[in-house]
Structure formats: C-alpha cells, structure tokens
Amino acid sequence: EAGVAQSPRYKIIEKRQSVAFWCNPISGHATLYWYQQILGQGPKLLIQFQNNGVVDDSQLPKDRFSAERLKGVDSTLKIQPAKLEDSAVYLCASSFWTGANTDTQYFGPGTRLTVL
Amino acid sequence: AQSVTQPDIHITVSEGASLELRCNYSYGATPYLFWYVQSPGQGLQLLLKYFSGDTLVQGIKGFEAEFKRSQSSFNLRKPSVHWSDAAEYFCAVAEGVTGGGNKLTFGTGTQLKVEL
C-alpha cells in the first residue's frame, strides 16, 4: 500500500514570495491533515479536512496560509507571502475515517521550507 | 486544553542497553495516546498506540509502552536498543473532532542517540 506522498521535498524561497505544497493521501483515507513542525518542536496541526470540507482550521494563520482539497483527495497548502518564521517542515497526514476518534494518522515525508 | 510533556530533550544510551522515554499528558477525558518516531529527513512513523484495555501496549521494532492513569504517563520502553533506533521520538495525545477524525497534540520530542 502506497503511503502519503508529498512534494516538493525541499523548497527555498525569499521572504514575501509565495509557495505551495502538495499532498496525496493514502487511497481511501477521507481525513487529511496539514501540520507545521518548527525545528526543535513537535508538529502543530494547521488544518484538517474531512473529504473536501474543513473540520478544523483554528491554528491556520489565515492572513497568509490557505489550503484546499477540492475533490476530496489531493490537497495543496499555500503560503503567500512567506515570512522568515514560516521556515519549518510541513507534514501531511491522512487517516481512514471510521466515525470514531481513535483513527490513526499516517504521515508523509514532509516538505522542508527555508525562507531567506 | 490537552497537552503533552516530554521532559527529556536528549537521551544517550549504549547499544544493547535498555531505554525508557518519558511522556506525561494532560487531558480531561479518556486519553488516546500515541508514540511516533521520526528519523532524519523522514516523516513520522507510528510505533504504537493506546486506546483502551490492557495498559501495556506492544508496538513495532520491539517497543512497548505502559499507560498509567494515576501518573498521567505513557512511557516508551525497549529492553535492548539497537544503533538504528537513533531518532527523535514524539508522544501525542488525541481528542475527537466533531465531523470525524481526531486532533493530535504532540510533545516537543526526545532525541535519542545510541553509542556503539
């Protein structure tokens, strides 16, 4: 079974530029998550989708971050404009929805973003 | 709000020695607890999880964890560490989200170094 795919793996941009990350979840997984992991910290949830609807985006900096999952499968996370403090690894995860809150999340390899 | 504390930022053990990584959580209801491992440049891999039942949980790669409600702890153990276990380990607690799935709160991680 293929895992969660993410691209690109690495990205270097200058501040005020825009950047987009792509995620393809495990086949059949209705729930998709985007996390931000700053160096030395644990991952922090940015946004959660259930199919193509947003379940939780309470920690997403909406003035500069946006995310979509138009067809309920792939997802993109965008930052515009980027700030220095956005340098982090952006992790995508997915889970098979059972209706219970014990669903296990499976993570992709992440995209390492460096903002100069 | 739920939280996770991993008091040890770095731990160094000799190959073949036993290992215990500490995790304390704060959560009002029955916690759903996870341990993930992250190797350099990789995403998070699930080691084990606790939802209910037997408080001693077996995972992959010879790891186990014990849930102690009275101590709000979920410590990870391995009887004999291998050099390939060197990585960063994250403890996480989940809460259900209306609409499906769950929301993970991670600790700050423990970096494990294995001396040969």
Side-chain angles (χ1 to χ4, degrees):
Chain A
E1 177 183 271
V4 177
Q6 291 188 246
S7 68
R9 292 294 310 275
Y10 306 91
K11 190 73 177 180
I12 300 174
I13 62 173
E14 296 189 349
K15 60 183 179 183
R16 291 188 288 275
Q17 286 187 323
S18 62
V19 64
F21 313 126
W22 173 82
C23 173
N24 180 242
I26 293 172
S27 178
H29 281 194
T31 313
L32 185 147
Y33 312 78
W34 282 104
Y35 288 84
Q36 179 192 57
Q37 185 179 17
I38 294 173
L39 186 65
Q41 300 181 19
K44 181 186 80 172
L45 179 68
L46 292 176
I47 188 167
Q48 177 184 345
F49 291 94
Q50 183 69 20
N51 295 308
N52 60 352
V54 175
V55 175
D56 184 351
D57 63 357
S58 58
Q59 299 190 85
L60 186 73
K62 299 179 186 63
D63 58 333
R64 297 183 301 106
F65 286 66
S66 64
E68 60 183 13
R69 195 184 183 200
L70 294 176
K71 297 183 179 179
V73 181
D74 294 3
S75 176
T76 56
L77 176 69
K78 297 179 181 178
I79 308 175
Q80 182 178 11
K83 293 185 175 181
L84 296 177
E85 58 261 36
D86 298 331
S87 293
V89 175
Y90 290 85
L91 295 164
C92 180
S94 69
S95 64
F96 180 77
W97 188 70
T98 65
N101 57 3
T102 55
D103 298 341
T104 297
Q105 296 182 30
Y106 297 89
F107 285 79
T111 297
R112 181 176 296 277
L113 173 67
T114 301
V115 182
L116 303 176
Chain B
Q2 58 191 24
S3 65
V4 175
T5 301
Q6 293 181 249
D8 304 306
I9 298 174
H10 296 98
I11 283 186
T12 300
V13 299
S14 299
E15 190 176 37
S18 64
L19 171 70
E20 182 169 29
L21 302 182
R22 295 183 291 166
C23 172
N24 293 96
Y25 67 90
S26 173
Y27 187 59
T30 300
Y32 301 119
L33 297 159
F34 301 79
W35 274 100
Y36 284 87
V37 60
Q38 186 175 37
S39 298
Q42 303 296 315
L44 286 87
Q45 181 183 19
L46 179 68
L47 284 176
L48 47 79
K49 58 190 177 185
Y50 171 77
F51 292 155
S52 63
D54 193 347
T55 56
L56 185 62
V57 181
Q58 301 298 321
I60 63 171
K61 304 185 178 185
F63 285 92
E64 66 178 25
E66 186 171 12
F67 171 64
K68 293 185 178 180
R69 183 184 298 275
S70 61
Q71 298 177 21
S72 297
S73 69
F74 188 56
N75 294 347
L76 182 71
R77 302 194 296 245
K78 187 170 185 178
S80 177
V81 171
H82 188 264
W83 64 266
S84 60
D85 293 325
E88 190 154 24
Y89 292 79
F90 291 93
C91 181
V93 62
E95 67 174 309
V97 176
T98 301
N102 54 38
K103 177 178 179 178
L104 289 178
T105 297
F106 286 87
T108 51
T110 296
Q111 185 72 46
L112 174 65
K113 179 181 177 182
V114 180
E115 291 183 332
L116 300 176

Coordinates of all heavy atoms in Angstrom, one line a residue, chain B residues 3-72:
Chain B
S3 N -2.4 18.6 26.7 CA -1.0 18.9 26.5 C -0.2 17.7 26.7 O -0.7 16.7 27.4 CB -0.5 20.1 27.4 OG -0.6 19.7 28.7
V4 N 1.0 17.7 26.2 CA 1.9 16.6 26.3 C 3.3 17.1 26.7 O 3.8 18.1 26.1 CB 2.1 15.8 25.0 CG1 3.1 14.7 25.2 CG2 0.7 15.1 24.7
T5 N 3.9 16.5 27.7 CA 5.2 16.9 28.2 C 6.2 15.7 28.0 O 5.9 14.6 28.5 CB 5.2 17.3 29.6 OG1 4.3 18.4 29.8 CG2 6.6 17.8 30.1
Q6 N 7.3 16.0 27.3 CA 8.4 15.0 27.2 C 9.5 15.7 27.9 O 10.2 16.6 27.3 CB 8.7 14.7 25.8 CG 7.5 13.9 25.1 CD 7.9 13.5 23.7 OE1 7.3 14.1 22.7 NE2 8.8 12.6 23.5
P7 N 9.8 15.3 29.1 CA 10.8 16.1 29.9 C 12.3 16.0 29.5 O 13.1 16.8 29.8 CB 10.6 15.5 31.3 CG 9.8 14.3 31.2 CD 9.2 14.3 29.9
D8 N 12.5 14.9 28.7 CA 13.9 14.7 28.3 C 14.1 15.2 26.8 O 13.5 14.6 25.9 CB 14.3 13.2 28.4 CG 14.1 12.7 29.8 OD1 14.7 13.4 30.7 OD2 13.4 11.8 30.0
I9 N 14.9 16.2 26.6 CA 15.1 16.7 25.2 C 16.1 15.7 24.5 O 15.9 15.4 23.3 CB 15.6 18.1 25.3 CG1 14.6 19.0 25.9 CG2 15.9 18.6 23.8 CD1 15.1 20.4 26.1
H10 N 17.1 15.3 25.2 CA 18.1 14.4 24.6 C 18.4 13.3 25.6 O 18.4 13.5 26.8 CB 19.4 15.2 24.4 CG 19.4 16.2 23.3 ND1 19.2 17.6 23.7 CD2 19.4 16.2 22.0 CE1 19.2 18.3 22.6 NE2 19.3 17.5 21.6
I11 N 18.5 12.1 25.0 CA 18.9 10.9 25.8 C 20.0 10.2 25.0 O 19.8 10.0 23.8 CB 17.7 10.0 26.1 CG1 16.9 10.6 27.2 CG2 18.2 8.6 26.5 CD1 15.8 9.7 27.7
T12 N 21.0 9.7 25.7 CA 22.1 8.9 25.1 C 22.2 7.6 25.8 O 22.3 7.6 27.0 CB 23.4 9.6 25.1 OG1 23.4 10.9 24.4 CG2 24.5 8.8 24.5
V13 N 22.1 6.5 25.1 CA 22.2 5.2 25.6 C 23.2 4.4 24.8 O 23.5 4.7 23.6 CB 20.9 4.4 25.7 CG1 19.9 5.2 26.6 CG2 20.3 4.2 24.3
S14 N 23.8 3.4 25.4 CA 24.7 2.5 24.7 C 23.9 1.4 24.0 O 22.8 1.0 24.5 CB 25.7 1.9 25.7 OG 26.5 2.8 26.3
E15 N 24.4 1.0 22.9 CA 23.7 -0.1 22.2 C 23.6 -1.3 23.1 O 24.6 -1.7 23.7 CB 24.5 -0.4 20.9 CG 23.7 -1.4 20.0 CD 24.4 -1.7 18.7 OE1 25.6 -1.7 18.7 OE2 23.7 -1.8 17.7
G16 N 22.5 -1.9 23.1 CA 22.2 -3.1 23.9 C 21.6 -2.7 25.3 O 21.1 -3.6 26.0
A17 N 21.7 -1.5 25.7 CA 21.2 -1.1 27.0 C 19.6 -0.9 26.8 O 19.1 -0.8 25.7 CB 21.8 0.2 27.4
S18 N 19.0 -0.8 28.0 CA 17.6 -0.6 28.0 C 17.3 0.9 27.8 O 18.1 1.7 28.1 CB 16.9 -1.2 29.3 OG 17.4 -0.5 30.4
L19 N 16.0 1.1 27.4 CA 15.6 2.5 27.2 C 14.2 2.8 27.8 O 13.3 2.0 27.7 CB 15.5 2.7 25.6 CG 14.9 4.1 25.2 CD1 15.9 5.2 25.5 CD2 14.6 4.0 23.7
E20 N 14.1 4.0 28.3 CA 12.8 4.4 28.7 C 12.7 5.9 28.4 O 13.5 6.7 28.9 CB 12.5 4.2 30.2 CG 11.1 4.7 30.6 CD 10.7 4.2 32.0 OE1 11.5 4.0 32.8 OE2 9.4 4.0 32.2
L21 N 11.7 6.3 27.6 CA 11.4 7.7 27.2 C 10.1 8.1 27.9 O 9.1 7.4 27.8 CB 11.3 7.8 25.7 CG 12.5 7.4 24.9 CD1 12.2 7.7 23.4 CD2 13.7 8.1 25.3
R22 N 10.2 9.2 28.6 CA 9.0 9.6 29.4 C 8.1 10.5 28.7 O 8.5 11.3 27.8 CB 9.6 10.4 30.7 CG 10.4 9.5 31.6 CD 10.8 10.3 32.8 NE 11.8 11.3 32.5 CZ 12.1 12.3 33.4 NH1 11.5 12.4 34.5 NH2 13.0 13.2 33.0
C23 N 6.8 10.3 29.0 CA 5.7 11.1 28.4 C 4.7 11.3 29.5 O 4.2 10.4 30.1 CB 5.2 10.5 27.2 SG 3.7 11.3 26.5
N24 N 4.3 12.6 29.7 CA 3.2 12.9 30.6 C 2.2 13.7 29.8 O 2.5 14.6 29.0 CB 3.7 13.7 31.8 CG 4.6 12.9 32.7 OD1 5.8 12.9 32.6 ND2 3.9 12.1 33.6
Y25 N 0.9 13.5 30.1 CA -0.1 14.1 29.3 C -1.1 14.8 30.3 O -1.2 14.5 31.5 CB -0.9 13.1 28.4 CG -1.7 12.1 29.3 CD1 -3.0 12.4 29.6 CD2 -1.1 10.9 29.7 CE1 -3.7 11.5 30.4 CE2 -1.8 10.0 30.5 CZ -3.1 10.3 30.8 OH -3.8 9.4 31.6
S26 N -1.8 15.8 29.7 CA -2.9 16.4 30.4 C -4.1 16.4 29.6 O -4.1 17.0 28.5 CB -2.5 17.9 30.8 OG -3.6 18.6 31.3
Y27 N -5.1 15.7 30.0 CA -6.3 15.6 29.2 C -7.5 15.2 30.1 O -7.3 14.3 31.0 CB -6.2 14.5 28.1 CG -7.3 14.4 27.1 CD1 -7.7 15.5 26.4 CD2 -8.0 13.3 27.0 CE1 -8.7 15.5 25.5 CE2 -9.0 13.2 26.1 CZ -9.4 14.3 25.3 OH -10.4 14.2 24.4
G28 N -8.6 15.8 30.0 CA -9.7 15.6 30.9 C -10.4 14.3 30.8 O -10.9 13.8 31.8
A29 N -10.5 13.8 29.6 CA -11.3 12.5 29.4 C -10.3 11.4 29.2 O -9.1 11.5 29.5 CB -12.2 12.7 28.2
T30 N -10.9 10.3 28.8 CA -10.0 9.1 28.5 C -9.1 9.5 27.3 O -9.5 9.8 26.3 CB -10.9 7.9 28.1 OG1 -11.8 7.6 29.1 CG2 -10.0 6.7 27.8
P31 N -7.8 9.4 27.6 CA -6.8 9.8 26.5 C -6.6 8.7 25.5 O -6.6 7.5 25.8 CB -5.5 10.0 27.3 CG -5.6 9.1 28.5 CD -7.1 8.9 28.8
Y32 N -6.4 9.1 24.3 CA -5.9 8.2 23.2 C -4.5 8.7 23.0 O -4.2 9.8 22.6 CB -6.8 8.3 22.0 CG -8.2 8.0 22.2 CD1 -9.2 8.9 22.0 CD2 -8.6 6.8 22.7 CE1 -10.5 8.6 22.3 CE2 -9.9 6.4 23.0 CZ -10.9 7.4 22.7 OH -12.2 7.1 23.0
L33 N -3.5 7.7 23.2 CA -2.1 8.1 23.2 C -1.3 7.4 22.1 O -1.6 6.2 21.8 CB -1.6 7.7 24.6 CG -2.2 8.5 25.7 CD1 -2.0 7.8 27.1 CD2 -1.6 9.9 25.8
F34 N -0.3 8.1 21.6 CA 0.5 7.5 20.5 C 1.9 7.8 20.8 O 2.3 8.8 21.4 CB 0.1 8.2 19.2 CG -1.4 8.1 18.8 CD1 -2.3 8.8 19.4 CD2 -1.7 7.1 17.8 CE1 -3.7 8.7 19.0 CE2 -3.0 7.0 17.4 CZ -4.0 7.8 18.0
W35 N 2.8 7.0 20.2 CA 4.2 7.2 20.1 C 4.6 7.1 18.6 O 4.2 6.1 18.0 CB 5.0 6.3 20.9 CG 5.3 6.6 22.3 CD1 4.6 6.1 23.4 CD2 6.2 7.6 22.9 NE1 5.1 6.7 24.6 CE2 6.1 7.6 24.3 CE3 7.2 8.4 22.3 CZ2 6.9 8.4 25.1 CZ3 8.0 9.2 23.1 CH2 7.8 9.2 24.5
Y36 N 5.2 8.2 18.2 CA 5.8 8.2 16.8 C 7.3 8.3 16.8 O 7.8 8.9 17.8 CB 5.2 9.4 16.0 CG 3.7 9.2 15.5 CD1 2.7 9.6 16.4 CD2 3.5 8.7 14.3 CE1 1.4 9.5 15.9 CE2 2.2 8.6 13.8 CZ 1.1 9.0 14.6 OH -0.2 8.9 14.2
V37 N 7.9 7.8 15.8 CA 9.4 8.0 15.7 C 9.6 8.7 14.3 O 9.0 8.5 13.3 CB 10.1 6.7 15.7 CG1 9.7 5.7 14.6 CG2 11.6 6.9 15.6
Q38 N 10.6 9.6 14.4 CA 11.0 10.4 13.2 C 12.5 10.3 13.0 O 13.3 10.8 13.8 CB 10.6 11.9 13.3 CG 10.8 12.7 12.1 CD 10.2 14.1 12.3 OE1 10.3 14.7 13.3 NE2 9.6 14.7 11.2
S39 N 12.9 9.7 11.9 CA 14.3 9.6 11.5 C 14.6 10.8 10.7 O 13.7 11.4 10.1 CB 14.6 8.3 10.7 OG 14.3 7.2 11.5
P40 N 15.9 11.2 10.6 CA 16.3 12.4 9.9 C 15.7 12.4 8.4 O 15.9 11.5 7.7 CB 17.8 12.4 9.9 CG 18.1 11.6 11.1 CD 17.0 10.6 11.3
G41 N 15.1 13.5 8.1 CA 14.5 13.7 6.7 C 13.3 12.8 6.4 O 12.9 12.8 5.3
Q42 N 12.8 12.2 7.5 CA 11.6 11.3 7.3 C 10.4 11.9 8.0 O 10.5 12.7 8.9 CB 11.9 9.9 7.8 CG 13.1 9.3 7.2 CD 13.0 9.0 5.7 OE1 11.9 8.6 5.2 NE2 14.0 9.4 4.9
G43 N 9.2 11.4 7.6 CA 8.0 11.7 8.3 C 7.9 10.9 9.6 O 8.9 10.2 9.9
L44 N 6.8 11.0 10.2 CA 6.6 10.3 11.5 C 6.0 8.9 11.2 O 5.1 8.7 10.4 CB 5.6 11.1 12.4 CG 6.2 12.3 13.0 CD1 6.0 13.5 12.1 CD2 5.5 12.6 14.4
Q45 N 6.6 7.9 11.9 CA 6.2 6.6 11.8 C 5.5 6.2 13.1 O 6.1 6.4 14.2 CB 7.3 5.6 11.4 CG 6.9 4.2 11.3 CD 8.1 3.2 11.0 OE1 9.2 3.6 11.3 NE2 7.8 2.1 10.5
L46 N 4.4 5.6 13.0 CA 3.7 5.1 14.2 C 4.4 3.9 14.9 O 4.6 2.9 14.2 CB 2.2 4.8 13.9 CG 1.4 4.3 15.1 CD1 1.1 5.4 16.1 CD2 0.0 3.7 14.6
L47 N 4.7 4.0 16.1 CA 5.3 2.9 16.9 C 4.2 2.1 17.6 O 4.3 0.9 17.5 CB 6.3 3.4 17.9 CG 7.6 3.9 17.4 CD1 8.4 4.5 18.6 CD2 8.4 2.8 16.8
L48 N 3.3 2.8 18.3 CA 2.3 2.1 19.0 C 1.2 3.1 19.4 O 1.4 4.3 19.3 CB 2.8 1.3 20.2 CG 3.8 2.1 21.1 CD1 3.1 3.0 22.1 CD2 4.6 1.1 21.9
K49 N 0.1 2.6 19.9 CA -1.0 3.4 20.3 C -1.8 2.8 21.4 O -1.8 1.5 21.5 CB -1.9 3.7 19.1 CG -2.5 2.5 18.5 CD -3.2 2.8 17.2 CE -3.7 1.5 16.5 NZ -4.3 1.7 15.2
Y50 N -2.4 3.6 22.3 CA -3.2 3.1 23.3 C -4.6 3.8 23.2 O -4.7 5.0 23.2 CB -2.6 3.4 24.7 CG -3.6 3.1 25.8 CD1 -3.8 1.8 26.2 CD2 -4.3 4.1 26.5 CE1 -4.7 1.5 27.3 CE2 -5.2 3.8 27.5 CZ -5.4 2.5 27.9 OH -6.3 2.2 28.8
F51 N -5.6 2.9 23.2 CA -7.0 3.4 23.2 C -7.7 3.0 24.5 O -8.4 3.8 25.1 CB -7.7 3.0 22.0 CG -7.2 3.5 20.7 CD1 -7.4 2.9 19.5 CD2 -6.5 4.7 20.7 CE1 -7.0 3.4 18.3 CE2 -6.0 5.3 19.5 CZ -6.3 4.6 18.3
S52 N -7.6 1.7 24.8 CA -8.3 1.2 26.0 C -7.8 -0.2 26.2 O -6.9 -0.7 25.5 CB -9.8 1.2 25.8 OG -10.1 0.3 24.7
G53 N -8.2 -0.8 27.3 CA -7.9 -2.2 27.6 C -6.5 -2.3 28.3 O -6.2 -1.5 29.2
D54 N -5.8 -3.4 27.9 CA -4.5 -3.6 28.5 C -3.6 -2.4 28.5 O -3.4 -1.8 27.5 CB -3.8 -4.8 27.8 CG -2.6 -5.4 28.6 OD1 -2.2 -4.7 29.5 OD2 -2.1 -6.4 28.2
T55 N -3.1 -2.1 29.7 CA -2.3 -0.8 29.8 C -0.9 -1.0 29.3 O -0.2 0.0 29.1 CB -2.3 -0.4 31.3 OG1 -1.8 -1.4 32.1 CG2 -3.7 0.0 31.7
L56 N -0.5 -2.2 29.0 CA 0.8 -2.4 28.4 C 0.6 -2.7 26.9 O 0.0 -3.7 26.6 CB 1.6 -3.6 29.1 CG 3.0 -3.8 28.6 CD1 3.9 -2.6 28.9 CD2 3.6 -5.1 29.3
V57 N 1.2 -1.8 26.1 CA 0.9 -1.9 24.7 C 2.2 -2.3 23.9 O 3.3 -1.7 24.2 CB 0.4 -0.5 24.2 CG1 0.1 -0.6 22.7 CG2 -0.8 -0.1 24.9
Q58 N 2.1 -3.2 23.1 CA 3.2 -3.6 22.2 C 3.2 -2.9 20.9 O 2.1 -2.7 20.3 CB 3.2 -5.1 22.0 CG 3.2 -6.0 23.3 CD 4.5 -5.7 24.1 OE1 5.6 -5.6 23.6 NE2 4.4 -5.6 25.5
G59 N 4.4 -2.5 20.4 CA 4.5 -1.9 19.1 C 5.4 -2.5 18.2 O 5.9 -3.6 18.4
I60 N 5.8 -1.8 17.2 CA 6.8 -2.3 16.2 C 8.2 -2.1 16.7 O 8.4 -1.3 17.7 CB 6.6 -1.6 14.9 CG1 6.9 -0.1 14.9 CG2 5.2 -1.9 14.3 CD1 6.9 0.6 13.6
K61 N 9.1 -2.8 16.1 CA 10.5 -2.6 16.4 C 10.9 -3.0 17.8 O 11.9 -2.5 18.3 CB 11.0 -1.2 16.1 CG 10.8 -0.8 14.6 CD 11.4 0.6 14.4 CE 11.1 1.0 12.9 NZ 11.8 2.3 12.6
G62 N 10.1 -3.8 18.5 CA 10.4 -4.2 19.9 C 10.1 -3.2 20.9 O 10.5 -3.4 22.1
F63 N 9.4 -2.1 20.6 CA 9.0 -1.1 21.6 C 7.7 -1.5 22.3 O 6.8 -2.2 21.7 CB 8.8 0.2 20.9 CG 10.1 0.9 20.6 CD1 10.6 0.7 19.3 CD2 10.7 1.7 21.5 CE1 11.8 1.4 19.0 CE2 11.9 2.3 21.1 CZ 12.5 2.2 19.9
E64 N 7.6 -1.0 23.5 CA 6.3 -1.2 24.3 C 6.1 0.1 25.1 O 7.1 0.9 25.3 CB 6.4 -2.4 25.2 CG 7.4 -2.3 26.3 CD 7.4 -3.5 27.3 OE1 6.9 -4.6 26.8 OE2 7.8 -3.3 28.4
A65 N 4.9 0.3 25.5 CA 4.6 1.5 26.3 C 3.6 1.1 27.4 O 2.7 0.2 27.1 CB 4.1 2.6 25.5
E66 N 3.6 1.7 28.5 CA 2.7 1.4 29.6 C 1.9 2.7 30.0 O 2.5 3.7 30.3 CB 3.4 0.9 30.8 CG 2.5 0.5 31.9 CD 3.2 -0.3 33.1 OE1 4.4 -0.2 33.1 OE2 2.5 -0.9 33.9
F67 N 0.6 2.6 29.9 CA -0.3 3.6 30.3 C -0.6 3.6 31.8 O -1.0 2.5 32.3 CB -1.6 3.5 29.5 CG -2.7 4.5 30.0 CD1 -2.5 5.8 29.9 CD2 -3.9 4.0 30.6 CE1 -3.5 6.7 30.4 CE2 -4.9 4.8 31.0 CZ -4.7 6.2 30.9
K68 N -0.3 4.7 32.5 CA -0.5 4.7 34.0 C -1.4 6.0 34.2 O -0.9 7.1 34.2 CB 0.8 4.8 34.7 CG 1.6 3.6 34.7 CD 2.9 3.7 35.6 CE 3.7 2.4 35.5 NZ 4.9 2.5 36.4
R69 N -2.7 5.7 34.4 CA -3.6 6.8 34.6 C -3.3 7.6 35.8 O -3.4 8.8 35.8 CB -5.1 6.2 34.7 CG -6.1 7.3 34.8 CD -7.5 6.7 34.9 NE -7.9 5.9 33.8 CZ -8.5 6.3 32.7 NH1 -8.7 7.6 32.6 NH2 -8.8 5.5 31.8
S70 N -2.9 6.9 36.9 CA -2.7 7.6 38.2 C -1.5 8.6 38.1 O -1.4 9.6 38.8 CB -2.4 6.6 39.3 OG -1.2 5.9 38.9
Q71 N -0.6 8.4 37.1 CA 0.6 9.2 36.9 C 0.5 10.1 35.7 O 1.4 10.8 35.4 CB 1.8 8.4 36.9 CG 2.1 7.6 38.2 CD 3.3 6.7 38.1 OE1 4.2 6.9 37.3 NE2 3.4 5.7 38.9
S72 N -0.6 9.9 34.9 CA -0.8 10.6 33.7 C 0.4 10.4 32.8 O 0.9 11.4 32.2 CB -1.1 12.1 33.9 OG -2.3 12.3 34.6

